[in-house]
Amino acid sequence: MKTFLLPVLASALVAGVPLAFGETAAPAASPAPAAPAEKTPSADSLLNQAFSVAIDVQQTLAAVQDKESGDKAVKKLQGIQKDIQRLRDLREKLTEAEKEKMDALSEKMEERMDMLSERCEKEGQRLLEARYYGSAALKDILENSDEFSELVEPDEDVAEPEEDNTPAPAGNVLSPNPEGLLPPN
């Protein structure tokens, strides 16, 4: 079974793709002041933040019950994408010892991660089956983002049913009892 949390958050933190977080537009007349550097959290703190983000994903998806709530969820999911990017950036700043500690903690918490991942996938599949309640924006972010697309993809472990292309047996369609389906009188 594929899991959402492991590849998206834990692996993102392990891989450490550096991305910017929270860029703000400054007025044209004055340059923006430099943002204070964010203190690099400990491995424990970073892993807890990753869990918090995954819980936010699950709760955001669970709250979608119609088109309006689906459209509202998109804004929250965009914020969550920024949080994931920020966590990746912070992960990159960890020392090698902290990265190893984080990897060890991730292994210890794998069962909890899997449980949360399954919940996120369940919500993603529910939304897919509901055709995103007609929200084109929700469909777009869930299907086309690196962070969420695995939630709405079919599980690779489950085999797709094969189509039966064999022709139906010929029967007398005009017969009152085609192919003897009805009991005799």
Side-chain angles (χ1 to χ4, degrees), residues 9 29 36 47-48 55 62 75 141 167 178 184:
L9 294 176
L47 196 57
N48 285 334
I55 290 168
K75 187 168 185 153
I141 196 166

Side-chain angles (χ1 to χ4, degrees), residues 43-111:
D44 298 23
S45 174
L46 203 53
L47 196 57
N48 285 334
Q49 289 178 48
F51 265 102
S52 179
V53 167
I55 290 168
D56 285 347
V57 170
Q58 190 271 328
Q59 291 174 343
T60 300
L61 297 179
V64 176
Q65 300 298 320
D66 54 26
K67 184 180 184 318
E68 183 180 344
S69 59
D71 291 339
K72 286 181 183 177
V74 171
K75 187 168 185 153
K76 287 186 82 175
L77 291 171
Q78 289 169 334
I80 290 170
Q81 283 178 310
K82 290 179 182 179
D83 290 342
I84 292 170
Q85 293 170 352
R86 180 182 60 82
L87 291 174
R88 287 176 179 160
D89 190 42
L90 289 172
R91 173 28 170 114
E92 188 64 26
K93 294 177 183 178
L94 291 178
T95 64
E96 286 304 313
E98 284 289 311
K99 287 178 185 177
E100 288 176 15
K101 181 179 179 182
M102 188 171 185
D103 293 343
L105 286 171
S106 294
E107 285 181 31
K108 288 181 182 178
M109 301 174 80
E110 187 172 359
E111 188 175 320

Side-chain angles (χ1 to χ4, degrees), residues 35 73 100 111 133 139 146 152:
E100 288 176 15
E111 188 175 320
Y133 294 100
K139 177 182 180 188
D146 291 338
V152 294

Side-chain angles (χ1 to χ4, degrees), residues 24-27 30-36:
T24 56
S30 64

